[in-house]
Amino acid sequence: MAKPAEIKAAMERTKKIFSERPSKGRATKSTTAEMVDGIHCRITDGEFTMIADLPKAMGGDNIGPSPGSLARAGLAACLTGGYAMYFAARDIPVDHLSVEVTADIDYGSFHGLDGTTAGFQELCYTVMWIVPPIRPISWPRLR
């Protein structure tokens, strides 16, 4: 696991590279989802492979997270990484960091029902971090 000092060093290294050669900081990424069986999909992103499915009540086999779960997970992981980088760059110690992403969804949109809109209706996130306790300062006793 990368330690804050390693994260900070990597950020400083890449910042130098990107400031000297901005094109090195730009990329086009691609992710592919392929239907395997029914709604179950195999997702490939570079060297990583994941699966997605829907619950049985929605016609899936429930053998993996739903695409909506993966979208929320991606956003939560991106934000968590961003905050970890922010804290590391500023030498702010953190004992715990988590991001919870919640989304309102109207499942009626899967069936094309009038008055519904596909996708997330509202999306919000909550960040929680815990810093180590601050050691009390010993002041000399005044007499």
Side-chain angles (χ1 to χ4, degrees), residues 4-83:
E6 294 166 342
I7 295 168
K8 182 177 182 177
M11 290 176 60
E12 290 170 351
R13 213 173 27 256
T14 54
K15 180 180 180 180
K16 183 178 187 309
I17 292 168
F18 299 159
S19 65
E20 292 172 357
R21 297 192 317 251
S23 64
K24 291 287 186 185
R26 295 191 220 30
T28 300
K29 298 290 188 172
S30 176
T31 302
T32 302
E34 175 186 10
M35 185 182 76
V36 175
D37 183 31
I39 299 172
H40 168 211
C41 294
R42 179 183 313 109
I43 303 161
T44 307
D45 188 339
E47 64 187 276
F48 301 104
T49 301
M50 301 159 269
I51 61 169
D53 200 2
L54 289 177
K56 290 185 179 200
M58 297 185 74
D61 291 318
N62 200 38
I63 60 170
S66 71
S69 294
L70 291 173
R72 292 187 307 276
L75 178 57
C78 184
L79 289 166
T80 302
Y83 279 104

Side-chain angles (χ1 to χ4, degrees), residues 6 13 15 18 20 25 39 63 65 87 92 95 99 101 109 114 119 124 139 142:
E6 294 166 342
R13 213 173 27 256
K15 180 180 180 180
F18 299 159
E20 292 172 357
I39 299 172
I63 60 170
F87 292 136
I92 300 170
D95 283 345
V99 176
V101 174
S109 65
D114 289 339
C124 64
W139 294 98
L142 299 175

Side-chain angles (χ1 to χ4, degrees), residues 55-128:
K56 290 185 179 200
M58 297 185 74
D61 291 318
N62 200 38
I63 60 170
S66 71
S69 294
L70 291 173
R72 292 187 307 276
L75 178 57
C78 184
L79 289 166
T80 302
Y83 279 104
M85 291 166 63
Y86 178 90
F87 292 136
R90 289 156 182 80
D91 297 317
I92 300 170
V94 176
D95 283 345
H96 174 83
L97 171 63
S98 66
V99 176
E100 177 185 22
V101 174
T102 58
D104 294 335
I105 304 165
D106 187 339
Y107 288 107
S109 65
F110 287 96
H111 306 287
L113 298 178
D114 289 339
T116 63
T117 305
F120 298 135
Q121 307 302 301
E122 187 169 317
L123 191 71
C124 64
Y125 64 92
T126 304
V127 181
M128 185 179 88

Side-chain angles (χ1 to χ4, degrees), residues 127-138:
V127 181
M128 185 179 88
W129 68 90
I130 300 172
V131 297
I134 298 172
R135 295 178 189 221
I137 298 171
S138 293

